[in-house]
């Protein structure tokens, strides 16, 4: 992805220099596996998540500023450019559809962070909090995604994840997320999971749509970029994670969609460029 020398967003809150200490053993994707296993076996993951966060907080023993390396600084600039690209694209899409886009903030952190949705750690992976309309991301996630789940590395894998989380912000602005939460309160866990899958797949579609518009507007994609995004989408499919964690899959527990579904909807957004084509709620079986 051609990102150097391009516009950087002013909506990135870089807190990496504020975080000290070490990540607790079992953090990151390993902690996610522990949480998933507990959920798949019918347990309540709340205690597991709280324990992970407590371990992280206990091991974060210093509040002294941590200097950022040259690599850290460069990664921060890249994230700012990617977020700026999402801003440009979604302003255009919203304007084309008679709406006004309100930009989210992206928070970079290490180890743990406080949000309007509660405390979180690196174990949470990148996520969007609708209460403060911010995306939270510890960039160490991408190293584990590559080393433990076989995803291809590269800047466009990061771009895909940022675009996916911004897709959740779009769903918040459109009222989609609120409608899903309301409906989930009136149905079983299995039925509610299907709505969660549709919500996540639509965010993947929006990520693909962003890539389509971004290429049209800026001509920034390079050979292999889309493959990096598809590899990341494949690696975070529910079936891929469950097979890695426990050797078999439990479809009724899916909340994000299979690897094939996630790849399908990203590609549909990228190939179609059609904002109205993200009909994941009408087509949950694909």
């Amino acid at each position: 992805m051609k990102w150097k020398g391009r516009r950087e967003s002013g909506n990135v809150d870089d807190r990496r220099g504020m975080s000290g200490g070490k990540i607790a053993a079992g953090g990151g994707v390993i902690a996610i596996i522990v949480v998933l296993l507990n959920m798949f076996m019918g347990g309540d993951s709340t205690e597991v998540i709280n324990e992970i966060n407590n371990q992280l907080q206990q091991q974060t023993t210093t509040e002294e500023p941590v200097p950022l390396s040259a690599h850290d600084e460069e990664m921060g600039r890249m994230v700012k450019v990617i977020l700026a690209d999402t801003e440009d694209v979604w302003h255009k899409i919203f304007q084309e559809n008679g709406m006004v886009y309100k930009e989210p903030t992206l928070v970079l952190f290490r180890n743990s962070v406080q949000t309007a949705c509660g405390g979180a750690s690196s174990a949470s992976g990148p996520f969007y909090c609708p209460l403060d309309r911010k995306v939270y991301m510890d960039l160490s996630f991408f190293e584990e995604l590559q080393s433990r789940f076989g995803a291809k590395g590269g800047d466009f894998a990061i771009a895909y994840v940022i675009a996916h989380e911004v897709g959740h912000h779009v769903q918040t602005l459109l009222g989609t997320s609120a409608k899903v939460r309301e409906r989930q309160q009136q149905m079983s866990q299995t039925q509610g999971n299907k709505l969660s899958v549709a919500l996540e797949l639509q965010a993947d579609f929006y990520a693909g749509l962003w890539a389509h518009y971004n290429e049209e507007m800026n001509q920034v994609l390079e050979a292999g970029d889309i493959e990096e995004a598809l590899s990341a989408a494949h690696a975070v499919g529910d079936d891929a994670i469950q097979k890695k964690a426990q050797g078999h899959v439990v479809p009724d527990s899916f909340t994000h969609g299979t690897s094939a579904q996630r790849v399908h909807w990203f590609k549909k957004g990228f190939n179609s460029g059609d904002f109205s084509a993200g009909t994941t709620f009408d087509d949950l079986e694909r």
Side-chain angles (χ1 to χ4, degrees), residues 55-120:
Q55 290 177 15
L56 286 171
Q57 291 170 5
Q58 290 169 8
Q59 294 199 23
T60 303
T61 57
T62 176
E63 295 182 358
E64 292 294 323
V66 178
L68 299 179
S69 67
H71 176 69
D72 290 334
E73 295 282 4
E74 183 172 78
M75 291 290 286
R77 289 192 293 271
M78 184 184 71
V79 166
K80 290 177 182 178
V81 170
I82 294 170
L83 187 63
D85 283 347
T86 69
E87 293 165 354
D88 294 342
V89 166
W90 284 109
H91 275 299
K92 179 177 176 61
I93 294 175
F94 268 53
Q95 185 177 31
E96 289 174 349
N97 289 273
M99 301 179 292
V100 177
Y101 181 66
K102 297 180 181 178
E103 300 170 356
T105 296
L106 190 153
V107 179
L108 290 175
F109 71 96
R110 283 177 174 151
N111 300 342
S112 61
V113 67
Q114 288 297 318
T115 82
C117 297

Side-chain angles (χ1 to χ4, degrees), residues 258-270:
T258 66
S259 295
Q261 286 175 316
R262 302 198 70 166
V263 167
H264 167 80
W265 283 103
F266 177 89
K267 289 174 66 176
K268 185 171 184 178
F270 180 72

Side-chain angles (χ1 to χ4, degrees), residues 3-24:
W3 64 267
K4 292 186 178 180
R6 298 177 51 235
R7 183 179 83 84
E8 298 179 5
S9 173
N11 292 318
V12 173
D13 180 4
D14 194 343
R15 303 182 190 176
R16 291 175 296 168
M18 300 167 56
S19 303
K22 299 180 180 180
I23 297 178

Side-chain angles (χ1 to χ4, degrees), residues 186-198:
Q186 304 169 3
M187 56 181 55
S188 69
Q189 183 69 45
T190 299
Q191 292 173 318
N193 285 346
K194 290 183 178 180
L195 285 181
S196 293
V197 167

Side-chain angles (χ1 to χ4, degrees), residues 153-171:
D155 49 22
F156 210 75
I158 297 176
Y160 153 71
V161 173
I162 292 175
H164 173 92
E165 298 304 334
V166 170
H168 286 310
H169 176 65
V170 171
Q171 291 170 327

